[in-house]
Amino acid sequence: MRRRTMRRRRWAIRPPPMTETPNLRRLIGRISELPVLPSVLVELLVLDPQADSYPDQVTELISIDPGFSLRVLRAANSADSAPIAPIVSISAAIARIGTVRAARLVLAGGVVRAFVPRDAWERSLWLHALQVGAMSRELAHANPSLGVAPEHAYAAGLLHDVGRFIMFQEAPEQLRDIDEGEWGDAAGLLEIERSVCGIDHCQVGAMACERWGLPIPLIAAVELHHGTPGEPHSTDPLVKVVRAADLSMFPSSIPGQPSFAERSDAEVDATLIPSLPAGIDHDARSLRRLIDQAVIEADAAARHLHLAGDL
């Protein structure tokens, strides 16, 4: 099967500033021991969604893995899809729910499999990741001049906080203290993470993605989604899309904060619009429409992934 792919190569990440702590030693060890992502996921991440062969490629890849096949069959036979008769084949299931949705379900399910949420707190982290993935896709679709494939944007948004999942596995109590601490923006979060762990989740996530051999644009989006002016990839279109999506969904990662979907156009215009990267051009009303749609998509994905309880 011939595949057109995102350009992939090893990315020599700039050595990040680290503070030696017991947590840092455990985190670095954890990254070196991360399980390899299922080959199906890696293949999905590098497919070209614009290729004519994309539907056939996705069907072939999903059919390889029984677990992923079962997930797609369940989605196709769910009440949301409401089939007239039971669907029993992978090709029919994908035809029912759509190639793009099937690929997103498998991608999200595969990453959840690698980092199984153990409680409501970790499920809330996953819901935020799903929201940023959905919002990244919406923004890529709404800003075609950036040249970012919506499904590549979804993958990068979904993985943008993978460093937090790794950190929670190694230092859960300290990370809960961080989330309950006094911070109200990304800079405050990163500062507390570095003080507790000696490193922040952007750096951890980028190291993990590099270990997995993921495409360089995706690694850049994970490392730079909170913004690092002057970095070689800080102005990459995919970085901009994921950064804008995370800003749009960031309140959902702060305990007790109302989301932008719950705020007025005036609040969105005053607090969110000025922060968007160049090239992401929306007024408050159009951006809130995208946010609303992304929340709906993320909630549906959370239900299919059994992440919706106790959130």
Side-chain angles (χ1 to χ4, degrees), residues 2-253:
R2 185 173 178 268
R3 299 185 177 95
R4 293 173 58 191
T5 66
M6 290 175 67
R7 183 165 167 251
R8 175 165 44 173
R9 62 179 173 82
R10 291 286 291 176
W11 183 28
I13 300 173
R14 181 175 60 85
M18 300 182 190
T19 302
E20 183 67 25
T21 68
N23 287 332
L24 176 62
R25 289 193 291 273
R26 288 200 299 271
L27 284 168
I28 297 301
R30 172 64 180 162
I31 293 169
S32 67
E33 296 169 1
L34 281 175
V36 176
L37 283 181
S39 59
V40 171
L41 297 191
V42 178
E43 293 285 358
L44 279 175
L45 285 167
V46 299
L47 287 181
D48 179 5
Q50 306 303 317
D52 294 338
S53 57
Y54 183 67
D56 291 337
Q57 292 171 345
V58 170
T59 300
E60 181 178 336
L61 285 172
I62 292 175
S63 298
I64 291 171
D65 188 294
F68 294 145
S69 297
L70 179 59
R71 187 176 297 281
V72 171
L73 283 168
R74 283 176 175 169
N77 285 287
S78 68
D80 290 343
S81 297
I84 297 174
I87 294 173
V88 297
S89 73
I90 299 302
S91 58
I94 293 175
R96 180 68 186 180
I97 66 175
T99 303
V100 166
R101 184 182 171 200
R104 292 205 305 267
L105 279 175
V106 168
L107 179 58
V111 181
V112 170
R113 183 192 295 180
F115 299 99
V116 178
R118 296 166 292 189
D119 53 32
W121 197 283
E122 293 184 13
R123 286 196 293 274
S124 70
L125 289 180
W126 265 116
L127 182 61
H128 174 69
L130 290 168
Q131 289 176 347
V132 174
M135 187 62 181
S136 296
R137 181 176 180 275
E138 293 293 328
L139 286 169
H141 182 73
N143 295 271
S145 62
L146 291 174
V148 175
E151 296 316 306
H152 291 165
Y154 176 83
L158 180 72
L159 290 169
H160 82 289
D161 267 353
V162 69
R164 298 198 78 195
F165 299 121
I166 297 170
M167 293 169 84
F168 260 88
Q169 288 188 341
E170 295 305 313
E173 295 307 318
Q174 293 93 327
L175 268 293
R176 283 184 174 83
D177 290 342
I178 287 173
D179 271 14
E180 293 173 345
E182 295 296 326
W183 58 272
D185 57 22
L189 170 62
L190 298 181
E191 182 179 353
I192 296 176
E193 285 179 343
R194 292 176 191 131
S195 69
V196 172
C197 297
I199 192 171
D200 63 57
H201 72 274
C202 301
Q203 298 162 337
V204 172
M207 291 176 182
C209 289
E210 187 181 30
R211 171 173 168 73
W212 288 326
L214 299 185
I216 180 174
L218 194 152
I219 298 174
V222 169
E223 184 176 37
L224 303 174
H225 70 270
H226 284 313
T228 306
E231 284 295 316
H233 297 278
S234 61
T235 59
D236 284 4
L238 184 59
V239 172
K240 290 183 176 182
V241 166
V242 175
R243 176 161 167 70
D246 187 57
L247 286 168
S248 300
M249 297 300 181
F250 192 70
S252 69
S253 67

Side-chain angles (χ1 to χ4, degrees), residues 252-281:
S252 69
S253 67
I254 304 175
Q257 288 291 318
S259 69
F260 281 117
E262 301 171 289
R263 302 187 191 188
S264 67
D265 286 351
E267 287 182 279
V268 171
D269 194 50
T271 59
L272 177 57
I273 297 297
S275 303
L276 295 178
I280 308 292
D281 300 317

